[in-house]
Amino acid sequence: MIPLQDINPTRRWPLFTFGLIALNVLVFLWEQTLSADQLQRAILDISVVPANLTAAPFSLESLLDAVRSMFLHGGWAHLGGNMLYLYLFGDNIEDRFGRPLYLFLYFVSGFVAIFAQVIIDPTSQIPLVGASGAIAGVLGCYLVLFPGVRVRGIIPLGFFSRMADWPAWAVLALWFVLQLFSGLLSLGVETGGGVAFFAHIGGFVAGAILGWLFLLIMPQPPADLRREMLYERARRYHY
């Protein structure tokens, strides 16, 4: 399924989610101002290269490279897919846990994602770019918090497609299984770049664990009350 909407209204405007989206878009637009050679040099200089991170995993430069990598993207499709998932699922995490914990989850998931991919291929010279790992953490947390929320999207069927509503657990579990399966198939395969599947896996697992830990600090209301609150917000915002 290609998700287009989650039926899960929020109580407040998702300032940090929109801020992260805006920052990613601005950085990508900056990338478009560079020539191909300039962009290649910039990415090698300011993003995570696994071999460099392996040599100095806890240096300040490695930390900065990891943060910068989360805001670089390899193309319009890469950027658009990431921002769609962040837009759909990030607002509810920000709304539920508040902005400081949301940012903490986002960046910690991003760091875990990077290290998960580097562990798989520590000598690689291919830069790791994209917000996918951090956003995977948001998806993992969403699965823990809102497994039963309906997600509306398109199911591609060859030349045809259809709209459908699936529970979030089905959409996100299917996404995770695809990443896991693709990651296992990619082991030992030499490529010149591509999708960092183990970054997605690591970020997702980190987000799910952090979501579970946050719930110990901020327990949710009982399931019946959560459903009542959801439907009340849905009526209020005309969803």
Side-chain angles (χ1 to χ4, degrees):
M1 171 187 275
I2 303 172
L4 299 177
Q5 180 188 21
D6 65 326
I7 316 303
N8 193 3
T10 56
R11 297 165 295 177
R12 50 193 166 186
W13 198 69
L15 175 64
F16 279 22
T17 296
F18 287 149
L20 288 169
I21 291 171
L23 188 54
N24 275 280
V25 170
L26 288 173
V27 171
F28 185 75
L29 292 176
W30 166 76
E31 292 178 51
Q32 304 314 297
T33 66
L34 304 177
S35 68
D37 288 341
Q38 288 174 328
L39 179 58
Q40 184 177 15
R41 287 197 300 270
I43 288 179
L44 286 172
D45 288 342
I46 65 175
S47 68
V48 169
V49 176
N52 297 342
L53 183 62
T54 302
F58 303 111
S59 68
L60 176 60
E61 186 62 26
S62 293
L63 174 64
L64 294 175
D65 286 346
V67 173
R68 292 185 294 236
S69 286
M70 296 181 207
F71 293 95
L72 298 167
H73 287 84
W76 286 103
H78 190 200
L79 175 73
N82 279 346
M83 295 306 101
L84 173 63
Y85 275 83
L86 182 56
Y87 168 74
L88 290 178
F89 300 109
D91 58 345
N92 295 107
I93 307 302
E94 179 179 350
D95 185 54
R96 176 62 185 86
F97 285 138
R99 289 159 184 165
L101 285 181
Y102 174 58
L103 281 188
F104 179 81
L105 179 138
Y106 186 90
F107 284 106
V108 169
S109 297
F111 288 131
V112 171
I114 288 169
F115 276 97
Q117 187 66 37
V118 170
I119 288 170
I120 294 300
D121 193 0
T123 61
S124 173
Q125 297 289 336
I126 300 172
L128 302 177
V129 298
S132 307
I135 295 169
V138 172
L139 303 187
C141 185
Y142 195 100
L143 178 61
V144 171
L145 264 66
F146 308 108
V149 163
R150 307 299 294 183
V151 176
R152 184 170 298 149
I154 298 173
I155 301 178
L157 300 169
F159 291 105
F160 304 97
S161 61
R162 60 183 292 265
M163 294 291 294
D165 286 2
W166 284 8
W169 69 263
V171 175
L172 300 178
L174 176 61
W175 181 90
F176 180 76
V177 169
L178 287 173
Q179 306 309 306
L180 184 60
F181 183 71
S182 300
L184 293 174
L185 287 180
S186 72
L187 289 174
V189 177
E190 294 292 335
T191 64
V195 180
F197 293 110
F198 286 95
H200 298 174
I201 295 165
F204 188 94
V205 172
I209 292 172
L210 285 172
W212 176 74
L213 291 174
F214 290 170
L215 284 179
L216 296 180
I217 302 170
M218 304 169 61
Q220 290 206 94
D224 289 344
L225 181 56
R226 291 203 306 272
R227 281 193 293 271
E228 182 180 337
M229 293 165 60
L230 173 63
Y231 294 141
E232 176 60 33
R233 292 203 301 272
R235 288 191 292 270
R236 185 185 313 157
Y237 292 103
H238 307 292
Y239 273 70

